[in-house]
Amino acid sequence: MEKIKVAVMGATGAVGQVFMWMLADHPWFDLAYPIASDARIGKTYASQVHWVIPVEMPEAIKEKTLKKLDADQMKAEGVQIVFSGLPADIANEVEPMLRSKGFYVFSNAASMRYDHDVPILIPEANHEQLSLIEEQGYPNGGFVVTNANCSTTGLAMALAPLKKFGIKTIHVSTYQAVSGAGYPGLSTLDIFGTCIPYIGKEEEKIDKEIKKILSINPEVYPFTIRVPVIVGHLETVWLDLEKDVEPEDVIQAWKDFKECSDLPSTPAQPVVYCEDPTMPQQKLAFWGKPQGMVTYTGRCKKKDGKIGFVLMVNNIVKGAAGGSIQNAEAFVSKYLNK
Ligand SMILES: NC(=O)c1ccc[n+]([C@@H]2O[C@H](COP(=O)([O-])OP(=O)(O)OC[C@H]3O[C@@H](n4cnc5c(N)ncnc54)[C@H](OP(=O)(O)O)[C@@H]3O)[C@@H](O)[C@H]2O)c1
């Protein structure tokens, strides 16, 4: 089948770079329209991007010309799907405009996540919520699908297979990489050799988003900490569950979790349990396609009836651009009969 033409907004940013890397050779999508801010338009991608992700820049994207955000031009060039790696304040204006012009928008920004008819989609966890696009007017018009904030994505992946045990309370502490703040993001002087025990609005996002994604209503007690690593959010979790389960039951639930395995960006094993008690760590090489989409768990234990474990997610692959691409694959698979 002919590939679907896609655009990437914010193509030079931290998330945008992962979009460009993953779309360079995507089996279903043709990276036809990379978009940048005004000063970069008409220039080649390689000349404008400050490439910060630890993989080589694909040859196929180096000479691509950066284009203007122009809905008419995008229509004329046959673009159907628009991926967004824009800051939330700009996304807030641009994404509804693109939806009104009939584009299918897959966004990383927080601006529309809490709209009742906009799904926060993670295909393995809640693919049924994709049908909310019909409330937005699809197939007679466009839509916006968002993905969760990056720390919530890892948590949702680890918890989705445990929903069957009844999740009553979630205590979660995160150790979040600096790439989560974009590029250039934090100053070295702020983060080098220290940890910052506050990330603005992050705890509120976890509380709100985990409930919407998993359609559950637990008590949520988050702490979010910025740590001086480049990529990979580590999280520690303690759960109160309705059922009295053992760590082996939890590990088996992760092993049995195989939702949406038909999508190109879904790993065969989306949640991988690490037996080595020193893992998972950020230094794990989790940049492959689809290894960057895996959520790693480890150190599962039980104390006083509570289940505890650690998890790790690649915040800019599964937690951002890769998650959006997988959401678009889920849409194509369900509605365009790929
Ligand atoms: N980093 C993560 O782990 C992560 C995870 C989940 C969600 N998110 C969300 O994803 C979005 C992007 O994050 P990021 O970390 O990639 O940010 P970033 O590194 O700061 O990149 C922002 C991008 O937006 C472009 N841009 C800024 N202003 C623009 C304008 N007025 N018109 C057109 N383009 C403009 C920038 O282009 P120029 O270079 O040309 O200025 C750049 O390409 C944010 O909403 C963020 O909250 C990030």
Side-chain angles (χ1 to χ4, degrees):
M1 271 183 95
E2 210 177 317
K3 287 190 182 185
I4 297 165
K5 286 192 167 34
V6 304
V8 174
M9 301 193 290
T12 53
V15 172
Q17 292 178 30
V18 180
F19 271 129
M20 297 294 284
W21 169 65
M22 292 188 77
L23 291 168
D25 58 356
H26 194 280
W28 296 359
F29 302 137
D30 170 16
L31 177 47
Y33 204 103
I35 299 170
S37 54
D38 289 349
R40 305 187 193 283
I41 292 164
K43 298 176 178 157
T44 63
Y45 186 68
S47 73
Q48 294 302 302
V49 68
H50 180 73
W51 190 256
V52 291
I53 62 173
V55 286
E56 215 174 313
M57 193 186 311
E59 284 300 325
I61 62 174
K62 287 183 179 169
E63 295 306 315
K64 283 200 179 284
T65 303
L66 289 164
K67 300 188 182 184
K68 189 179 171 58
L69 175 61
D70 177 336
D72 293 336
Q73 187 59 31
M74 287 156 72
K75 278 267 166 199
E77 295 196 24
V79 169
Q80 285 182 274
I81 287 175
V82 182
F83 292 108
S84 173
L86 289 177
D89 54 337
I90 298 162
N92 205 18
E93 292 172 17
V94 167
E95 293 174 3
M97 180 276 287
L98 290 172
R99 173 173 67 180
S100 72
K101 291 188 181 283
F103 291 98
Y104 311 142
V105 181
F106 291 87
S107 174
N108 283 274
S111 31
M112 296 177 73
R113 276 184 202 146
Y114 312 123
D115 293 3
H116 73 94
D117 55 0
V118 174
I120 306 177
L121 194 66
I122 301 178
E124 298 96 326
N126 65 348
H127 54 86
E128 71 287 348
Q129 291 186 27
L130 180 56
S131 59
L132 280 176
I133 64 174
E134 294 167 29
E135 289 188 27
Q136 295 181 54
Y138 180 82
N140 300 319
F143 60 78
V144 175
V145 166
T146 62
N147 43 350
N149 106 83
C150 36
S151 54
T152 311
T153 298
L155 185 64
M157 285 296 294
L159 295 190
L162 312 185
K163 248 177 82 167
K164 62 185 178 187
F165 301 135
I167 299 169
K168 291 195 295 187
T169 59
I170 303 169
H171 291 259
V172 56
S173 296
T174 71
Y175 305 75
Q176 298 188 209
V178 291
S179 55
Y183 183 80
L186 293 166
S187 157
T188 316
L189 290 178
D190 288 327
I191 192 68
F192 191 69
T194 193
C195 300
I196 304 171
Y198 174 71
I199 305 174
K201 297 191 188 146
E202 193 80 355
E203 291 160 9
E204 294 84 348
K205 286 181 188 171
I206 292 176
D207 189 346
K208 217 165 170 177
E209 293 178 22
I210 198 70
K211 291 171 178 161
K212 180 169 174 179
I213 294 164
L214 296 181
S215 305
I216 56 175
N217 197 23
E219 297 296 330
V220 184
Y221 301 95
F223 270 114
T224 55
I225 318 288
R226 187 75 70 194
V227 298
V229 299
I230 296 174
V231 175
H233 292 351
L234 187 72
E235 304 177 26
T236 58
V237 182
W238 280 105
L239 301 175
D240 285 306
L241 300 170
E242 278 160 19
K243 292 198 177 149
D244 184 25
V245 300
E246 298 303 317
E248 300 74 49
D249 302 318
V250 170
I251 293 166
Q252 194 59 46
W254 287 326
K255 284 186 177 156
D256 293 342
F257 189 53
K258 310 264 185 203
E259 292 293 319
C260 296
S261 55
D262 55 323
L263 304 178
S265 297
T266 305
Q269 188 73 57
V271 180
V272 171
Y273 184 72
C274 303
E275 297 288 348
D276 178 346
T278 69
M279 290 290 167
Q281 292 186 26
Q282 283 94 343
K283 72 181 181 188
L284 272 178
F286 57 154
W287 274 96
K289 304 171 202 173
Q291 288 97 312
M293 298 294 284
V294 171
T295 300
Y296 294 91
T297 55
R299 299 213 48 215
C300 190
K301 57 185 176 177
K302 187 175 183 183
K303 187 169 185 210
D304 299 334
K306 296 177 196 293
I307 290 289
F309 59 90
V310 299
L311 71 89
M312 163 149 298
V313 65
N314 185 324
N315 54 295
I316 48 179
V317 179
K318 176 64 177 170
S324 268
I325 292 170
Q326 193 188 22
N327 287 346
E329 292 168 0
F331 161 69
V332 171
S333 173
K334 179 169 178 182
Y335 288 97
L336 305 185
N337 299 322
K338 195 79 193 173

